[in-house]
Amino acid sequence: MKFDTPATTNPIDQLKVVGKPTDRIDGPLKTSGTAPYAYEHHAEVPNPAYGYVLGAAIAKGRIASIDLDAARAAPGVLAVVSAENAGKLGKGKYNTAKLLAGPDVQHYHQAVALVVAETFEQARSAAQLIRVEYTRGQGAYDLSAVLATGVEPKDDTPDTRRGDFAGTYAAAPVKLDATYTTPDQSHAMMEPHASMASWDGDQLTLWTSNQMIAWGVGDVATTLGVPKEKVRLISPYIGGGFGGKLFVRSDALLAALGARLAGRPVKVALQRPLMMNNTTHRPATIQRIRIGASQDGRITAIGHESWSGDLSGGAVEKAVQPTQLLYAGENRMTAARLTTLDLPEGNAMRAPGEAPGLMTLEIAMDEMAEKLQLDPIEFRIRNDTQVDPGDPQRPYSQRRLVECLRNGAERFGWERRSAVPGQRREGRWLIGMGVAAAFRNNIVTQSAARVRLDPQGRLIVETDMTDIGTGTYTIIAQTAAEMMGVGVDEVIVRLGDSSFPVSAGSGGQWGANCSTSGVYAACVKLREAVAQRLGFSTEEAVFSDGQVRAGGRSASLRSAAEAGELVAEDSIEFGDLDKKYQQSTFGAHFVEVGVDAATGETRVRRMLAVCAAGRILNPKSARSQVIGAMTMGVGAALMEELAVDKRLGFFVNHDLAGYEVPVHADIPHQEVVFLDETDPISSPMKAKGVGELGICGVSAAVANAIYNATGARVRDYPITLDKVLAKLPQIA
């Protein structure tokens, strides 16, 4: 089904099921511990062997020699995989680094070998017997030291220019020129990267934790040098991904290689200390923002430059992206520069581009508002735009940022905020409020599904879409139920299997909108097949309460399949509406903090997010997504940082003891408000993504609240107490 005109009325608009707060249908399985994750498919893979990954002990160089004999002779060992016996390996489309080192080592903890044994303990013990001699190379590990080597990336982040930025900025009566930094960050999801592999002749079945099944199949096939039809990926449940499981990693490849060499199924899970250096992370950035404005608070010039690093052949962090679209200003420029760093691969993490970009842009907007003696909300409102500021001929399909800001200000009690920092105090605590705009693009991509109506009257949806804890099972069931006129409990949803039609996958905040649109398209076909079999006009048929009605007649939906199962398959193919209109989601984040006047300790007291993100398909699970994203934003603001050993080139705090993330006690009160909105240009569902919008801007709102409480303006994340403490005396 091609979607190239704005959606008008369709069956989804009945809103009998879609749009209602609905319990997650996978909830009972997860809370009872019976949902099988990648390492737990015991029924399908009886008596598997265990693999243990040995990571490289250097960041850059070569393997001079490797002695595997002692490991091979250890008790219980079935096989040892290394570059010497892995065979010729290709390089997948979505892998910057090779997944198995040898002879070159590209980054610390790159996989060097896999030991396969009868038990995990035997594999782990034997791995310690491997002796590797390295020739250490000279690497670059400090972003600030290599800025001059940055180049314009070859991907989709070219420099942008409109008008005369330099001249207008120089002439502006009020201007800001500030540099900010964001650190390397880890996805730190609960479920580790894990896989189970089994070969049946030349057919590989891989149970893995992966967000994008079709991408994974392609990369596994390319890496192993086998046809794609010989690879089956299965990933029905994922214990968190945040972008870290978009791509096949070493656990999947080594499980496949180990199973082939050992001649039996093998399961591999990356131990936590290995994950943070072996897999991907959000790369650090250094960002310079310049804003010029007239005395009345209108932006006349805005420029954003950002530097990030990655392995050779990697991609830039698109931190300048929100500045290209968020605020008006005729004279503008953005530039992203990519340097080569020999750290582990930098790649997508929840809201790549927008999240780190707004961490800095939204502090700069607050700093500029203060220079103009304007309320930060008023400054943002004065510079709102209803068109793409870089291409004024392209309007937004929906843009309700101003409403988000005003609605949030009223709900949060913004009028109680003092414009002068450090004025509100409760005992030893300095109290402050902060705000930031939220922005994330709405990406649309083709997505397919298959829908079955079996003779028992069951409605079965099949798509390779994944559920990374976001509630995908439920919104897909809601979509099929609405389209076919049945209850959610009458729909069976099967996800995460490459034998199903190819979906959008989980990533980029596109999963919910696109995958449900694919299910919508398949259900349109199934409705036609049902109507035809029952002898009804397809245009007049109404599906409701398990019945099909048309022309004064009715029949049960189930009766349509009595003569045999009905199957319909289709995909949603988005036309060029995303080129005619700028499609984005918007929001406003409000944060209140308390800062200890003596120690600089920050405590978040309350948070509010107001979101405008199209039709909300399931307010209950959407709220959970935003709350989780807000929590991640607090972590990025106050504590999350992968500490780089700049001599040896690795992340030192590579576990959940050293890499701190927020816990329940850190986030006492959160409120989420969704504006009542539909976007008919986005999709037939009239929905958009929301799970990444919830993190965008949060960190800056925290930073701005700390400044309002203390007068301590911190431009380098995370905002640890030492950075605040150094600036407290000026208002203490």
Side-chain angles (χ1 to χ4, degrees):
M1 171 187 288
K2 288 190 176 180
F3 178 73
D4 52 12
T5 57
T8 54
T9 301
N10 64 45
I12 292 298
D13 294 327
Q14 299 174 104
L15 298 182
K16 292 181 179 179
V17 184
V18 168
K20 306 299 182 186
T22 306
D23 290 346
R24 284 174 50 171
I25 59 178
D26 53 318
L29 293 174
K30 291 181 175 176
T31 55
S32 63
T34 54
Y37 290 88
Y39 207 64
E40 302 172 334
H41 289 270
H42 308 300
E44 299 97 321
V45 190
N47 192 32
Y50 291 79
Y52 189 90
V53 178
L54 178 69
I58 64 169
K60 185 177 178 63
R62 291 176 64 85
I63 298 172
S65 65
I66 182 168
D67 185 350
L68 307 174
D69 291 343
R72 289 183 174 128
V77 171
L78 302 172
V80 180
V81 178
S82 72
E84 295 178 350
N85 61 1
K88 184 179 179 180
L89 298 178
K91 185 170 174 291
K93 177 181 178 181
Y94 299 101
N95 294 326
T96 298
K98 293 195 303 180
L99 300 181
L100 181 61
D104 293 330
V105 174
Q106 294 174 283
H107 63 86
Y108 184 74
H109 269 173
Q110 185 177 17
V112 169
L114 176 81
V115 177
V116 179
E118 293 287 355
T119 69
F120 172 80
E121 291 78 10
Q122 289 172 330
R124 180 178 59 186
S125 177
Q128 311 313 311
L129 302 176
I130 297 175
R131 295 290 173 259
V132 188
E133 296 293 333
Y134 298 98
T135 301
R136 193 184 301 273
Q138 186 67 38
Y141 313 121
D142 184 352
L143 176 62
S144 63
V146 294
L147 292 189
T149 67
V151 297
E152 184 175 357
K154 297 178 181 179
D155 63 4
D156 57 348
T157 315
D159 292 359
T160 65
R161 297 185 184 278
R162 179 177 171 81
D164 177 15
F165 166 76
T168 307
Y169 175 77
V174 183
K175 47 182 171 275
L176 170 78
D177 184 347
T179 299
Y180 308 83
T181 66
T182 65
D184 297 287
Q185 296 172 352
S186 172
H187 301 87
M189 70 290 287
M190 285 295 291
E191 182 201 20
H193 291 74
S195 298
M196 298 176 68
S198 179
W199 291 88
D200 183 3
D202 61 352
Q203 177 72 47
L204 170 65
T205 302
L206 195 61
W207 293 264
T208 188
S209 191
N210 185 267
Q211 298 173 224
M212 303 290 293
I213 299 299
W215 292 6
V217 168
D219 268 13
V220 169
T222 299
T223 305
L224 293 176
V226 300
K228 287 201 295 186
E229 57 269 19
K230 295 296 184 180
V231 178
R232 182 184 179 191
L233 255 63
I234 302 174
S235 188
Y237 299 102
I238 301 169
F242 310 121
K245 295 175 181 173
L246 287 171
F247 322 110
V248 166
R249 307 313 303 175
S250 61
D251 58 294
L253 172 65
L254 292 176
L257 292 172
R260 185 161 65 184
L261 195 61
R264 63 186 277 192
V266 170
K267 58 195 301 184
V268 176
L270 297 185
Q271 56 272 34
R272 184 69 61 174
L274 199 68
M275 285 174 58
M276 294 184 178
N277 284 288
N278 180 270
T279 67
T280 62
H281 71 285
R282 193 196 299 280
T285 68
I286 297 174
Q287 302 179 47
R288 181 189 184 192
I289 296 178
R290 285 174 284 174
I291 304 175
S294 58
Q295 293 286 2
D296 65 353
R298 309 287 176 176
I299 293 175
T300 57
I302 184 167
H304 190 165
E305 298 163 274
S306 178
W307 291 261
S308 65
D310 201 358
L311 293 167
S312 177
V316 73
E317 175 63 73
K318 303 174 184 179
V320 301
Q321 187 166 285
T323 301
Q324 295 171 3
L325 293 163
L326 190 49
Y327 296 113
E330 290 191 10
N331 304 283
R332 49 202 310 119
M333 62 81 71
T334 65
R337 293 293 177 264
L338 176 64
T339 68
T340 297
L341 289 178
D342 299 297
L343 293 171
E345 181 181 346
N347 215 310
M349 181 172 161
R350 198 172 198 169
E354 283 98 338
L358 289 171
M359 288 174 74
T360 64
L361 174 62
E362 286 301 289
I363 294 181
M365 290 295 289
D366 255 47
E367 294 196 53
M368 195 65 182
E370 186 177 46
K371 284 176 175 285
L372 291 161
Q373 297 183 332
L374 278 176
D375 179 90
I377 292 177
E378 176 60 28
F379 179 49
R380 289 170 171 85
I381 289 174
R382 288 191 188 183
N383 291 283
D384 185 48
T385 173
Q386 292 299 310
V387 299
D388 175 351
D391 181 6
Q393 302 304 310
R394 197 165 66 116
Y396 280 93
S397 62
Q398 294 271 3
R399 181 180 163 118
R400 298 170 69 186
L401 174 60
V402 170
E403 189 174 345
C404 291
L405 289 163
R406 287 180 171 155
N407 184 306
E410 181 178 352
R411 288 174 179 270
F412 204 67
W414 186 255
E415 74 281 356
R416 299 194 297 273
R417 172 189 176 272
S418 170
V420 179
Q423 298 303 299
R424 183 179 165 197
R425 187 162 184 162
E426 296 178 7
R428 73 184 196 190
W429 296 98
L430 299 164
I431 311 301
M433 292 185 190
V435 67
F439 167 87
R440 177 73 165 128
N441 273 331
N442 179 58
I443 302 169
V444 291
T445 184
Q446 184 173 344
S447 191
R450 180 187 304 127
V451 186
R452 303 177 183 274
L453 180 64
D454 72 9
Q456 289 72 46
R458 297 181 304 174
L459 198 62
I460 302 167
V461 183
E462 297 171 337
T463 171
D464 80 355
M465 181 62 186
T466 50
D467 190 326
I468 57 175
T470 46
T472 307
Y473 279 98
T474 309
I475 58 172
I476 283 180
Q478 288 176 273
T479 302
E482 192 79 76
M483 290 294 292
M484 303 308 298
V486 299
V488 170
D489 57 352
E490 298 175 77
V491 180
I492 298 170
V493 179
R494 296 172 178 164
L495 301 180
D497 190 326
S498 62
S499 66
F500 298 154
V502 175
S503 72
S506 296
Q509 194 179 261
W510 62 63
N513 182 34
C514 296
S515 67
T516 54
S517 294
V519 174
Y520 169 93
C523 285
V524 168
K525 273 196 170 182
L526 184 61
R527 285 164 62 100
E528 294 171 352
V530 168
Q532 290 171 5
R533 182 170 285 185
L534 293 175
F536 293 155
S537 164
T538 57
E539 290 78 15
E540 297 178 7
V542 175
F543 292 70
S544 179
D545 301 321
Q547 300 289 309
V548 186
R549 301 179 180 88
R553 294 192 301 121
S554 69
S556 69
L557 178 65
R558 178 175 182 172
S559 67
E562 288 178 351
E565 182 180 53
L566 287 171
V567 182
E569 182 176 327
D570 203 355
S571 66
I572 191 76
E573 298 178 33
F574 295 92
D576 61 354
L577 288 177
D578 61 331
K579 295 179 177 62
K580 295 178 181 177
Y581 298 89
Q582 175 57 41
Q583 295 190 34
S584 304
T585 59
F586 297 91
H589 287 290
F590 293 81
V591 174
E592 182 180 86
V593 302
V595 181
D596 190 300
T599 68
E601 175 192 356
T602 297
R603 292 187 182 178
V604 175
R605 291 158 59 103
R606 58 192 181 100
M607 305 178 72
L608 166 67
V610 181
C611 304
R615 172 175 284 152
I616 303 301
L617 303 176
N618 183 357
K620 194 168 191 175
S621 58
R623 176 182 178 273
S624 293
Q625 282 299 292
V626 175
I627 282 176
M630 293 163 72
T631 303
M632 288 186 74
V634 171
L638 299 179
M639 58 193 74
E640 293 191 41
E641 177 182 18
L642 284 167
V644 180
D645 185 317
K646 295 177 182 178
R647 301 163 304 137
L648 301 178
F650 69 99
F651 299 133
V652 180
N653 53 334
H654 45 237
D655 56 37
L656 293 182
Y659 184 87
E660 296 180 355
V661 296
V663 297
H664 284 246
D666 296 318
I667 315 291
H669 181 75
Q670 295 170 306
E671 183 182 358
V672 179
V673 175
F674 297 113
L675 297 188
D676 185 9
E677 175 179 287
T678 57
D679 190 339
I681 291 170
S682 172
S683 75
M685 302 299 294
K686 305 179 184 177
K688 295 177 180 176
V690 76
E692 297 185 351
L693 179 69
I695 193 175
C696 294
V698 173
S699 300
V702 174
N704 293 336
I706 292 172
Y707 175 74
N708 183 245
T710 66
R713 178 62 77 187
V714 181
R715 294 171 173 164
D716 301 300
Y717 291 99
I719 308 172
T720 47
L721 58 86
D722 56 308
K723 297 172 186 174
V724 177
L725 188 62
K727 301 183 180 183
L728 280 180
Q730 59 186 284
I731 62 99

